[in-house]
Amino acid sequence: MGCSQSGNTAAIGQLLEEYTVGMTLGEGAFGVVYSCTNKKTGEQVAVKMVDKVETPVVLIKREAEMMQRLEHPNIVRCQNVFYERYFVCIVMDRYVQDIVDGLHLYMKEKGKLHGHDIIHIAKQMAASVQHLHKENIVHRDIKGDNYLMDRKNIADKKCHIVLSDFGTACTISPDERLSDEVGTRIFWAPEVYDRSYGQKVDVWALGVTTYGMIEGRFPFRDDNDIKKKELKTMKRVSPVCEDFVRKMLTKDETKRIDANQVAAHPFLTGDQNGAENSTKTTGDDAGADEHEDLRLDAANQDVHERRQELVNRLQAGKKPPPKGKPNFKEGQVHNVTEEHGSRKYEWFQPDKIQALGLLDIKGVVQRSGFVDDSDSGAITSMLLAHKIDISSFGKNGARTLEKFEKEVQDGAVKLMLDATDYKKLVRSVDIVLLRIQKAQGSSKILVETNEQTSNGENRNIHRLPGTKKEPYENRLETAKRILKDLLGMGDLEVKLDFDDVETVENSEESPSYPGVQTVYRRSIIKAYVASPATDPKLVDVGLPKGTAFAYKNKETTKTFAWMSETSALKKGVKLRAAGSETTSSLALAPIGLSEDDLREYLIKHNVDISKLSSNPNKSLKDLSRETLKGECSLMQNSKGRTVRIVDVVYLKIVDPTDNGILVHTESTQNGQTTQINKLPENKRRKDENHFHTVRRILKRQLKIDDNQVSIDPTTVGYFLDESGTENEGYVGIPTIYRNRIISLQLVKQDASGPKSSPVRT
């Protein structure tokens, strides 16, 4: 055993050099577990990929080192550790499932367990905690989710279990008191709320877990119950079993038994007359089939999606970029395959579109957009949640918070996570650069060497020509704008290669916003001048001889030179992406409210949350999930009433050859097909510009290259729908729909994909 690399630096694919990663085995708040196979030995193991965004690397390293030094039959064995770009990957022995899975399976097939059914499990749980405490370690997240089983049947007396997930574990001296509020709240001991606790918090959590295995529910519902409510009589167990559970769930820490006493209790040892026996249960099995979901602390949907995308990047890190013809063509059915199903898109003619009313967007037309379209408070909250000090904004030459918010709302920048670091929020700016050869196969490329502004400022620079991409542009459109407006090549034919675009990400401290890192995503597009040598306009750009030239636009005069690659590199010109630069570190930033935060928010704004329980499909948990996924937001209207805002973006994608419009016609999930017949659409996150929503739909739902469509930014339609009542959906919280329809046009493709045509001024 040992770490494959110390520190926080890591290259893509170290894990994949030794292991093949397979299916997902489980996922929690801080990481995801996959099956994997050792390439040399064929051994089946598991790898826990701990998310660097959710946990600081120093803590992940501490967890891995602790696992490596703990050796006990009931503690999972760590085999190796890999420090990857987005995750720390802990390779460990593989097990079939956790106790919660085993418990749910048993209850589904046979009903609740009796006390005598879990003695073999309770013994092993006690042994694991006893060993930790002997080693002066406290786990602080003991629960069924963290105990792994080697078989499906939890009642099998040969079932072997091990304790896993040491992310919250730490060393502790016998007299030491801890104060950190970590672990899973429903398993907290009363003293945790006082922020003064010791090893016996693990014993309490063992009691909660044991009670759950027998009763199929938690002993306490909330914080108040944990601190004040007495444990109810356990009717289905023997007195010795109930005594065992009660002594672990004694609220007074000084009177609660310790781990050694747990392991020595008669319920587990059977040494005394009161030992557990199936003939000594009291009461009956009334309610034996009633139970609740004991799975807690799962990853939020947005976290799950972010991890899945990062794992995909990890696996694709050593593969060459895909090449080939575009998969989205005029007049053809477009099928998109997903993990559990597929979606079908078809082209409908205008008469069919009209008959189905697909362009009849619900709501009142808003000629000037939505009055309170932006949620500046949400952006400020994101900054504060990621420990960014906004008090320095607007001082000593820095730009103001209002300017920052406007940049995000206008789409000039995006707020993203740097997935290689702990809760690091960054500004992301997309830039397109052109690496233009003077002719196909030529060794000379175009480099910008000087820039003079209209106010006389003069800068000597060496870089590839390029500019910032506007939110409504695709890379092809930005490249054409560079050729026309920055280089004066609008009348020449320049071929662009989009089959091999390289992306480089560089992070810099923003001088405009102290404490904020800006990540510049530079897409390098290869190109060459394809105009015939007899074209007289070549002289304007120093061709065919390859001499320097200048071009003046409205604001600046830029000077360019045709250089060999060797000369350009000596001047410090970034020509290609290399190493980890080729794989993006950016991911969508977290947004929305956890269930606890949402409850606090609603109570603060006088919403009766008890009404939410009247609709089981629109509960507090469902509303929290929607906010976390960015599918809705909450705000106060002009009367101070809390309302739910759902912002939907519809795409009207038109084929100019016959005016056909793309329609989402079918969705298939788990073998079940549903007719849809709607325009492609998705909900806008409150921290993004609507053109960025369009890009998400194109990439994630339609899965097409955005060069294949062109957005018309001048024809966005806005519709405000306030027809919903407070009794629809989430009871007591009326919903307002902000609907927008954005027009796009299919771009004609040639056989080799999206190549630029001559740009004419």
Side-chain angles (χ1 to χ4, degrees), residues 43 104 132 187 355 387 391 443 520 529 534 557 637 727 752:
E43 181 186 9
H104 285 167
L132 289 184
F187 292 86
K387 310 300 182 186
S391 64
S443 61
Y520 294 95
V529 178
T534 55
T557 299
N637 62 16
N727 293 320
S752 58

Side-chain angles (χ1 to χ4, degrees), residues 97-107 149 152 154:
Q97 61 186 8
D98 62 43
I99 280 182
V100 176
D101 288 328
L103 182 61
H104 285 167
L105 178 62
Y106 187 92
M107 289 191 293
M149 302 166 46
K152 291 280 189 181
I154 193 172

Side-chain angles (χ1 to χ4, degrees), residues 668-737:
T668 301
Q669 288 289 318
N670 299 316
Q672 184 90 25
T673 299
T674 304
Q675 296 297 317
I676 303 296
N677 286 342
K678 290 172 59 177
L679 296 179
E681 51 89 9
N682 206 336
K683 298 177 178 70
R684 184 183 74 93
R685 290 166 52 103
K686 60 184 178 181
D687 64 335
E688 71 180 355
N689 177 272
H690 51 236
F691 293 125
H692 291 152
T693 310
V694 174
R695 299 294 173 202
R696 276 200 296 117
I697 297 172
L698 295 175
K699 178 181 179 180
R700 298 192 175 193
Q701 290 176 223
L702 292 170
K703 296 186 179 181
I704 65 170
D705 185 335
D706 63 2
N707 283 340
Q708 296 176 249
V709 291
S710 177
I711 297 174
D712 184 351
T714 65
T715 58
V716 179
Y718 301 87
F719 303 83
L720 184 64
D721 178 13
E722 298 180 286
S723 61
T725 70
E726 64 178 77
N727 293 320
E728 296 174 356
Y730 295 98
V731 178
I733 306 176
T735 296
I736 296 175
Y737 289 91

Side-chain angles (χ1 to χ4, degrees), residues 429 431 433 502-506 508 520-524:
V429 179
I431 293 174
L433 303 175
E502 300 178 34
T503 301
V504 181
E505 289 182 0
N506 300 112
E508 301 174 11
Y520 294 95
R521 298 192 75 243
R522 297 177 170 91
S523 296
I524 303 175

Side-chain angles (χ1 to χ4, degrees), residues 2-67:
C3 295
S4 64
Q5 188 180 74
S6 60
N8 190 19
T9 58
I12 293 293
Q14 294 180 66
L15 172 74
L16 301 180
E17 293 288 344
E18 298 186 31
Y19 296 91
T20 300
V21 176
M23 61 183 280
T24 303
L25 298 177
E27 184 170 11
F30 300 101
V32 58
V33 180
Y34 288 89
S35 66
C36 60
T37 305
N38 187 304
K39 291 183 177 180
K40 291 183 179 179
T41 67
E43 181 186 9
Q44 298 292 310
V45 293
V47 58
K48 177 183 177 182
M49 296 187 178
V50 187
D51 195 338
K52 289 184 180 181
V53 170
E54 302 298 328
T55 310
V57 169
V58 64
L59 297 184
I60 308 174
K61 187 176 182 181
R62 186 181 72 181
E63 175 185 3
E65 291 173 346
M66 183 173 291
M67 290 178 65

Side-chain angles (χ1 to χ4, degrees), residues 404-573:
F404 184 96
E405 292 167 344
K406 191 174 189 311
E407 287 183 1
V408 175
Q409 293 152 5
D410 291 347
V413 302
K414 290 183 284 187
L415 287 183
M416 303 288 284
L417 279 179
D418 180 348
T420 66
D421 207 347
Y422 175 62
K423 293 189 182 300
K424 184 177 180 182
L425 191 70
V426 298
R427 296 166 73 239
S428 171
V429 179
D430 287 325
I431 293 174
V432 173
L433 303 175
L434 300 185
R435 191 167 78 227
I436 306 174
Q437 296 174 309
K438 61 181 291 189
Q440 187 174 19
S442 172
S443 61
K444 294 292 182 72
I445 58 174
L446 190 64
V447 175
E448 182 181 350
T449 59
N450 182 271
E451 180 182 62
Q452 186 170 348
T453 64
S454 55
N455 60 12
E457 182 181 352
N458 192 66
R459 291 195 305 156
N460 289 321
I461 49 180
H462 290 86
R463 63 188 182 190
L464 293 177
T467 191
K468 185 165 68 174
K469 185 168 78 72
E470 297 294 346
Y472 52 82
E473 287 182 323
N474 57 40
R475 289 180 298 188
L476 174 59
E477 290 166 329
T478 308
K480 288 184 175 183
R481 182 161 57 87
I482 295 169
L483 293 171
K484 178 183 176 183
D485 297 341
L486 273 67
L487 300 175
M489 292 185 172
D491 289 331
L492 297 177
E493 183 176 359
V494 178
K495 292 291 186 180
L496 303 168
D497 181 7
F498 285 93
D499 280 341
D500 193 17
V501 177
E502 300 178 34
T503 301
V504 181
E505 289 182 0
N506 300 112
S507 179
E508 301 174 11
E509 181 78 22
S510 173
S512 302
Y513 302 105
V516 179
Q517 290 280 318
T518 299
V519 174
Y520 294 95
R521 298 192 75 243
R522 297 177 170 91
S523 296
I524 303 175
I525 301 171
K526 293 191 295 186
Y528 64 90
V529 178
S531 295
T534 55
D535 190 332
K537 295 184 177 62
L538 288 174
V539 177
D540 296 336
V541 294
L543 296 177
K545 292 183 178 180
T547 57
F549 68 95
Y551 184 75
K552 182 178 181 180
N553 59 22
K554 295 179 180 179
E555 301 175 353
T556 60
T557 299
K558 293 178 179 287
T559 302
F560 302 92
W562 295 96
M563 293 185 178
S564 68
E565 287 198 11
T566 302
S567 298
L569 290 171
K570 286 182 179 179
K571 295 290 187 179
V573 181

Side-chain angles (χ1 to χ4, degrees), residues 19-311:
Y19 296 91
T20 300
V21 176
M23 61 183 280
T24 303
L25 298 177
E27 184 170 11
F30 300 101
V32 58
V33 180
Y34 288 89
S35 66
C36 60
T37 305
N38 187 304
K39 291 183 177 180
K40 291 183 179 179
T41 67
E43 181 186 9
Q44 298 292 310
V45 293
V47 58
K48 177 183 177 182
M49 296 187 178
V50 187
D51 195 338
K52 289 184 180 181
V53 170
E54 302 298 328
T55 310
V57 169
V58 64
L59 297 184
I60 308 174
K61 187 176 182 181
R62 186 181 72 181
E63 175 185 3
E65 291 173 346
M66 183 173 291
M67 290 178 65
Q68 288 174 320
R69 74 182 178 92
L70 286 171
E71 292 188 12
H72 187 272
N74 297 117
I75 293 176
V76 69
R77 184 171 67 101
C78 172
Q79 296 193 16
N80 212 334
V81 182
F82 296 87
Y83 289 83
E84 292 284 355
R85 185 166 170 79
Y86 319 113
F87 304 96
V88 175
C89 300
I90 303 173
V91 179
M92 53 193 180
D93 291 348
R94 179 176 173 180
Y95 288 81
V96 173
Q97 61 186 8
D98 62 43
I99 280 182
V100 176
D101 288 328
L103 182 61
H104 285 167
L105 178 62
Y106 187 92
M107 289 191 293
K108 180 180 179 181
E109 295 179 349
K110 301 180 181 180
K112 291 181 181 178
L113 289 157
H114 289 86
H116 62 270
D117 293 323
I118 59 119
I119 293 176
H120 62 296
I121 299 294
K123 277 184 179 180
Q124 296 177 80
M125 291 196 302
S128 66
V129 173
Q130 184 183 33
H131 181 72
L132 289 184
H133 290 189
K134 180 183 176 181
E135 296 292 324
N136 295 321
I137 293 172
V138 58
H139 189 278
R140 300 194 292 180
D141 200 18
I142 296 292
K143 57 183 179 179
D145 311 59
N146 289 334
Y147 278 102
L148 308 177
M149 302 166 46
D150 69 348
R151 64 199 66 205
K152 291 280 189 181
N153 185 5
I154 193 172
D156 187 336
K157 302 304 180 185
K158 294 182 180 180
C159 181
H160 178 238
I161 69 166
V162 292
L163 177 61
S164 66
D165 200 340
F166 289 79
T168 58
C170 68
T171 56
I172 182 174
S173 59
D175 298 326
E176 187 177 356
R177 305 298 288 175
L178 302 174
S179 61
D180 298 335
E181 294 182 334
V182 298
T184 307
R185 202 174 187 93
I186 200 69
F187 292 86
W188 280 8
E191 61 267 24
V192 177
Y193 296 92
D194 298 328
R195 299 179 67 91
S196 176
Y197 60 88
Q199 287 184 330
K200 286 188 179 180
V201 294
D202 287 346
V203 173
W204 173 279
L206 275 180
V208 175
T209 305
T210 305
Y211 183 98
M213 285 195 293
I214 298 170
E215 297 294 333
R217 58 184 174 84
F218 293 109
F220 308 107
R221 289 289 178 183
D222 52 33
D223 299 353
N224 187 64
D225 278 4
I226 291 171
K227 290 183 280 188
K228 298 179 180 180
K229 187 177 180 180
E230 290 302 320
L231 190 66
K232 291 183 179 180
T233 301
M234 301 173 68
K235 296 180 179 180
R236 300 176 53 256
V237 299
S238 68
V240 70
C241 179
E242 183 169 8
D243 180 73
F244 176 65
V245 175
R246 284 188 177 278
K247 284 184 175 177
M248 289 189 289
L249 293 178
T250 300
K251 295 186 186 295
D252 186 339
E253 180 186 9
T254 63
K255 297 179 180 178
R256 189 182 311 143
I257 59 176
D258 62 24
N260 289 330
Q261 292 170 312
V262 171
H265 193 278
F267 174 68
L268 300 184
T269 63
D271 291 339
Q272 299 182 23
N273 294 331
E276 177 74 8
N277 188 299
S278 60
T279 64
K280 295 183 179 181
T281 56
T282 61
D284 54 32
D285 276 359
D289 293 330
E290 297 176 5
H291 60 270
E292 63 186 10
D293 187 358
L294 297 175
R295 174 77 63 199
L296 290 175
D297 212 22
N300 295 323
Q301 183 65 27
D302 64 323
V303 174
H304 167 77
E305 291 176 359
R306 182 189 72 224
R307 288 175 182 163
Q308 185 61 58
E309 182 175 344
L310 294 175
V311 169

